[in-house]
mmCIF file of all heavy atoms in Angstrom:
data_model
loop_
_atom_site.group_PDB
_atom_site.id
_atom_site.type_symbol
_atom_site.label_atom_id
_atom_site.label_comp_id
_atom_site.label_asym_id
_atom_site.label_seq_id
_atom_site.Cartn_x
_atom_site.Cartn_y
_atom_site.Cartn_z
ATOM 1 N N PHE B 879 -9.602 -7.110 0.464
ATOM 2 C CA PHE B 879 -9.536 -8.554 0.226
ATOM 3 C C PHE B 879 -9.276 -9.358 1.502
ATOM 4 O O PHE B 879 -9.188 -10.591 1.447
ATOM 5 C CB PHE B 879 -8.440 -8.828 -0.795
ATOM 6 C CG PHE B 879 -8.588 -8.090 -2.082
ATOM 7 C CD1 PHE B 879 -7.911 -6.904 -2.287
ATOM 8 C CD2 PHE B 879 -9.415 -8.556 -3.073
ATOM 9 C CE1 PHE B 879 -8.063 -6.167 -3.467
ATOM 10 C CE2 PHE B 879 -9.594 -7.857 -4.257
ATOM 11 C CZ PHE B 879 -8.905 -6.650 -4.442
ATOM 12 N N ALA B 880 -9.143 -8.659 2.621
ATOM 13 C CA ALA B 880 -8.739 -9.344 3.865
ATOM 14 C C ALA B 880 -9.893 -9.718 4.751
ATOM 15 O O ALA B 880 -9.735 -10.548 5.679
ATOM 16 C CB ALA B 880 -7.778 -8.448 4.649
ATOM 17 N N GLY B 881 -11.047 -9.122 4.565
ATOM 18 C CA GLY B 881 -12.221 -9.470 5.387
ATOM 19 C C GLY B 881 -12.137 -9.012 6.820
ATOM 20 O O GLY B 881 -12.744 -9.638 7.710
ATOM 21 N N VAL B 882 -11.413 -7.896 7.071
ATOM 22 C CA VAL B 882 -11.305 -7.368 8.414
ATOM 23 C C VAL B 882 -11.649 -5.879 8.404
ATOM 24 O O VAL B 882 -11.666 -5.242 7.337
ATOM 25 C CB VAL B 882 -9.910 -7.558 9.030
ATOM 26 C CG1 VAL B 882 -9.548 -9.046 9.133
ATOM 27 C CG2 VAL B 882 -8.850 -6.791 8.221
ATOM 28 N N THR B 883 -11.914 -5.321 9.589
ATOM 29 C CA THR B 883 -12.206 -3.899 9.700
ATOM 30 C C THR B 883 -10.921 -3.098 9.482
ATOM 31 O O THR B 883 -9.871 -3.471 9.978
ATOM 32 C CB THR B 883 -12.765 -3.587 11.102
ATOM 33 O OG1 THR B 883 -13.960 -4.350 11.291
ATOM 34 C CG2 THR B 883 -13.056 -2.107 11.236
ATOM 35 N N GLY B 884 -11.036 -2.014 8.745
ATOM 36 C CA GLY B 884 -9.883 -1.180 8.459
ATOM 37 C C GLY B 884 -9.365 -0.450 9.706
ATOM 38 O O GLY B 884 -10.082 -0.257 10.688
ATOM 39 N N ALA B 885 -8.110 -0.035 9.645
ATOM 40 C CA ALA B 885 -7.438 0.594 10.779
ATOM 41 C C ALA B 885 -7.994 1.981 11.085
ATOM 42 O O ALA B 885 -7.746 2.499 12.190
ATOM 43 C CB ALA B 885 -5.958 0.674 10.535
ATOM 44 N N ALA B 886 -8.763 2.575 10.174
ATOM 45 C CA ALA B 886 -9.345 3.878 10.462
ATOM 46 C C ALA B 886 -10.250 3.842 11.713
ATOM 47 O O ALA B 886 -10.478 4.875 12.354
ATOM 48 C CB ALA B 886 -10.149 4.392 9.267
ATOM 49 N N ALA B 887 -10.740 2.670 12.038
ATOM 50 C CA ALA B 887 -11.576 2.520 13.229
ATOM 51 C C ALA B 887 -10.798 2.838 14.514
ATOM 52 O O ALA B 887 -11.409 3.087 15.567
ATOM 53 C CB ALA B 887 -12.157 1.113 13.307
ATOM 54 N N LEU B 888 -9.464 2.834 14.446
ATOM 55 C CA LEU B 888 -8.628 3.092 15.624
ATOM 56 C C LEU B 888 -8.316 4.572 15.812
ATOM 57 O O LEU B 888 -7.735 4.960 16.800
ATOM 58 C CB LEU B 888 -7.315 2.320 15.513
ATOM 59 C CG LEU B 888 -7.429 0.790 15.365
ATOM 60 C CD1 LEU B 888 -6.018 0.203 15.192
ATOM 61 C CD2 LEU B 888 -8.115 0.178 16.543
ATOM 62 N N LEU B 889 -8.697 5.425 14.847
ATOM 63 C CA LEU B 889 -8.307 6.809 14.893
ATOM 64 C C LEU B 889 -8.856 7.535 16.117
ATOM 65 O O LEU B 889 -8.204 8.452 16.644
ATOM 66 C CB LEU B 889 -8.806 7.549 13.627
ATOM 67 C CG LEU B 889 -7.909 7.383 12.391
ATOM 68 C CD1 LEU B 889 -8.618 7.928 11.169
ATOM 69 C CD2 LEU B 889 -6.578 8.081 12.584
ATOM 70 N N ALA B 890 -10.008 7.149 16.560
ATOM 71 C CA ALA B 890 -10.604 7.844 17.740
ATOM 72 C C ALA B 890 -9.759 7.658 18.992
ATOM 73 O O ALA B 890 -9.829 8.481 19.899
ATOM 74 C CB ALA B 890 -12.016 7.311 17.980
ATOM 75 N N ARG B 891 -8.951 6.607 19.034
ATOM 76 C CA ARG B 891 -8.141 6.316 20.217
ATOM 77 C C ARG B 891 -6.666 6.628 20.060
ATOM 78 O O ARG B 891 -5.926 6.652 21.038
ATOM 79 C CB ARG B 891 -8.290 4.831 20.599
ATOM 80 C CG ARG B 891 -9.708 4.417 20.945
ATOM 81 C CD ARG B 891 -9.753 3.056 21.585
ATOM 82 N NE ARG B 891 -9.320 1.981 20.726
ATOM 83 C CZ ARG B 891 -10.114 1.380 19.839
ATOM 84 N NH1 ARG B 891 -11.371 1.801 19.699
ATOM 85 N NH2 ARG B 891 -9.656 0.390 19.088
ATOM 86 N N HIS B 892 -6.237 6.903 18.817
ATOM 87 C CA HIS B 892 -4.794 7.076 18.592
ATOM 88 C C HIS B 892 -4.563 8.280 17.678
ATOM 89 O O HIS B 892 -4.878 8.229 16.468
ATOM 90 C CB HIS B 892 -4.195 5.819 17.990
ATOM 91 C CG HIS B 892 -4.357 4.624 18.869
ATOM 92 N ND1 HIS B 892 -3.600 4.401 20.007
ATOM 93 C CD2 HIS B 892 -5.232 3.575 18.807
ATOM 94 C CE1 HIS B 892 -3.978 3.290 20.590
ATOM 95 N NE2 HIS B 892 -4.960 2.767 19.881
ATOM 96 N N ASP B 893 -3.966 9.354 18.225
ATOM 97 C CA ASP B 893 -3.746 10.553 17.424
ATOM 98 C C ASP B 893 -2.411 10.507 16.658
ATOM 99 O O ASP B 893 -2.034 11.507 16.021
ATOM 100 C CB ASP B 893 -3.767 11.782 18.326
ATOM 101 C CG ASP B 893 -2.681 11.784 19.401
ATOM 102 O OD1 ASP B 893 -1.884 10.843 19.424
ATOM 103 O OD2 ASP B 893 -2.665 12.740 20.183
ATOM 104 N N ASN B 894 -1.716 9.376 16.700
ATOM 105 C CA ASN B 894 -0.485 9.225 15.944
ATOM 106 C C ASN B 894 -0.624 8.168 14.840
ATOM 107 O O ASN B 894 0.363 7.585 14.392
ATOM 108 C CB ASN B 894 0.661 8.857 16.873
ATOM 109 C CG ASN B 894 0.452 7.519 17.570
ATOM 110 O OD1 ASN B 894 -0.683 7.123 17.828
ATOM 111 N ND2 ASN B 894 1.526 6.824 17.904
ATOM 112 N N LEU B 895 -1.861 7.970 14.400
ATOM 113 C CA LEU B 895 -2.135 6.956 13.379
ATOM 114 C C LEU B 895 -2.486 7.600 12.045
ATOM 115 O O LEU B 895 -3.271 8.566 12.011
ATOM 116 C CB LEU B 895 -3.310 6.061 13.834
ATOM 117 C CG LEU B 895 -3.758 4.960 12.870
ATOM 118 C CD1 LEU B 895 -2.672 3.899 12.668
ATOM 119 C CD2 LEU B 895 -5.044 4.307 13.390
ATOM 120 N N VAL B 896 -1.888 7.097 10.974
ATOM 121 C CA VAL B 896 -2.227 7.496 9.622
ATOM 122 C C VAL B 896 -2.544 6.231 8.830
ATOM 123 O O VAL B 896 -1.803 5.238 8.900
ATOM 124 C CB VAL B 896 -1.060 8.251 8.940
ATOM 125 C CG1 VAL B 896 -1.352 8.493 7.471
ATOM 126 C CG2 VAL B 896 -0.811 9.580 9.642
#
Side-chain angles (χ1 to χ4, degrees):
F879 304 96
V882 299
T883 301
L888 303 176
L889 279 170
R891 299 192 295 276
H892 301 284
D893 62 2
N894 62 330
L895 178 65
V896 172

